[in-house]
Amino acid sequence: MSTAEGPASGLPVRMPRPRQPGRHRRPELLTTPDGAPALVLAVPGTPSSATRSLAEEVISIARSEVSGLDPRIGYVDGDGEDYPTLEAVLTQATAERADDSPAAIVVPLLAGPEASVMRRIRKAVMDSRSAAEVTDVLGPHPLLAEALHVRLSEAGLARADRARLFTVATAADGIILATVGGEEAVQAAGVTGLLLAARLAMPVLAAALDIDGSIAQAADQLRSSGSLTLALAPYLIGPEIAPELLHDACKEADCAGADALGPYSAVGKLVVAKYTGALGMAQQSSQSAAAH
C-alpha cells in the first residue's frame, strides 16, 4: 500500500525506512501499490485443518516479506466456508474490484508441475469469470534444494552443514526425490535434484509417486551405482498427496524418509516471488495498453 512517501501505482517499490547498521541488517520490505490484485494461494489436495494451518503459515511468511499484501486462500477441492473453493475466492475478489484490472494473482502451492491440478486451477479462473492470472509452480529453484537439505538433516538423513565437518551416523549416501505429476514432474524435479546433489555431494534421482515402479526403479539404480543407505526426500509441499503414500514409497524403496517441505520459509519466499513477478508483468501490460 502506498504512502505519502511512495508512488500510488506502478511496480512494488522499496519504501524508505531507517536502516540498521552492519552487514546483518534486515532487508527493507517490498510494498504493494494501491489497488494491487490479491494474492490467492491455490491449495491442492483434500482440505483439512492441517492443510489450512500449512497454508496460513505460508501466507504469514508472505506477509512478512511484502507490506500491504492482500493474501487469500482458495482450495482446489474446497467445500464450504471453512475451506472455500478457489472459484468462490476469485469470484469474491472480482466483486470487490472497482474496475476491470486483474483482481487476483493465483499462485499454485505446488513444488513441481502437476498437470491435472493446474488444469483445475485454470478452470476455476475461467468459471469465476475473474480477471486473474495464474503463475507457474514454485520449482525448480535453489531455495527448494535448500529446503530439501534442511528436511533431510532434520530427519537425521543428511549432514546439516555443506562443509561436511561432522558425521551423522544415519546419513544416507543416495537420495530418491519423490514427486507427483508423471514424467513431466520427474524431469522438473531433476533440476532441483542436481542442486541438492551438489549440496550433499551424493547422487540424487527423481521418481514419481504416481507412476508404478518408479520409486523402486530409482532405488535399484542408486544401489547398483554403489549407494548403500538411501533416503526418500518428498519434493512436495504436503497437501498434494495423502501422507500414507509417502509411507508406502519408503517401504517400496526400503529406506527412511524425510518430511514434506511444508511451510518452510523458502516456500513462502517463492510464493512472494511468483506474485511480484506476475504483478510486474501485469503492471507493464496495463501501462502499455494505456499508452496505446
Side-chain angles (χ1 to χ4, degrees):
M1 186 176 297
S2 64
T3 68
E5 297 177 276
S9 62
L11 304 183
V13 296
R14 295 187 183 275
M15 302 304 292
R17 62 182 68 222
R19 294 176 63 87
Q20 296 179 353
R23 62 190 180 91
H24 297 297
R25 61 177 178 263
R26 178 180 173 82
E28 297 177 32
L29 292 179
L30 294 173
T31 188
T32 59
D34 285 343
L39 186 165
V40 177
L41 193 65
V43 182
T46 303
S48 66
S49 58
T51 297
R52 179 171 57 197
S53 177
L54 186 157
E56 289 174 348
E57 287 190 59
V58 171
I59 288 297
S60 178
I61 296 169
R63 283 183 182 275
S64 71
E65 295 287 325
V66 180
S67 174
L69 197 64
D70 177 16
R72 311 183 189 200
I73 300 172
Y75 298 87
V76 179
D77 291 307
D79 182 21
E81 293 183 3
D82 290 338
Y83 306 105
T85 65
L86 180 58
E87 180 181 346
V89 172
L90 292 172
T91 299
Q92 178 64 31
T94 300
E96 295 171 2
R97 301 296 288 186
D99 53 34
D100 294 330
S101 61
I105 292 173
V106 181
V107 182
L109 192 60
L110 293 168
E114 192 173 349
S116 61
V117 175
M118 293 301 293
R119 281 195 297 269
R120 297 185 62 192
I121 290 174
R122 293 189 177 95
K123 184 177 184 300
V125 172
M126 293 178 60
D127 291 346
S128 67
R129 299 174 183 260
S130 63
E133 295 191 23
V134 181
T135 73
D136 291 334
V137 297
L138 305 183
H141 198 279
L143 285 177
L144 293 181
E146 171 195 304
L148 289 163
H149 186 174
V150 169
R151 292 297 185 233
L152 285 165
S153 66
E154 288 173 345
L157 299 171
R159 294 164 176 79
D161 70 318
R162 296 181 65 177
R164 303 172 69 84
L165 297 177
F166 61 92
T167 304
V168 177
T170 57
D173 57 5
I175 305 296
I176 301 171
L177 197 58
T179 187
V180 289
E183 288 296 342
E184 180 186 4
V186 170
Q187 292 178 11
V191 178
T192 300
L194 289 174
L195 299 172
L196 180 62
R199 293 179 67 94
L200 299 176
M202 70 178 68
V204 176
L205 281 183
L209 293 163
D210 51 353
I211 297 179
D212 289 341
S214 181
I215 297 293
Q217 182 179 357
D220 290 343
Q221 187 173 341
L222 285 167
R223 289 192 173 103
S224 66
S225 65
S227 296
L228 300 177
T229 305
L230 304 185
L232 187 140
Y235 189 59
L236 306 162
I237 308 300
E240 303 97 315
I241 63 167
E244 56 265 26
L245 290 181
L246 288 175
H247 176 73
D248 293 344
C250 288
K251 289 179 62 178
E252 182 179 353
D254 189 22
C255 70
D259 290 335
L261 297 171
Y264 186 67
S265 59
V267 173
K269 291 177 180 179
L270 287 174
V271 166
V272 167
K274 293 298 180 183
Y275 171 81
T276 55
L279 179 59
M281 287 187 290
Q283 292 286 334
Q284 291 170 11
S285 175
S286 176
Q287 292 169 1
S288 177
H292 285 287

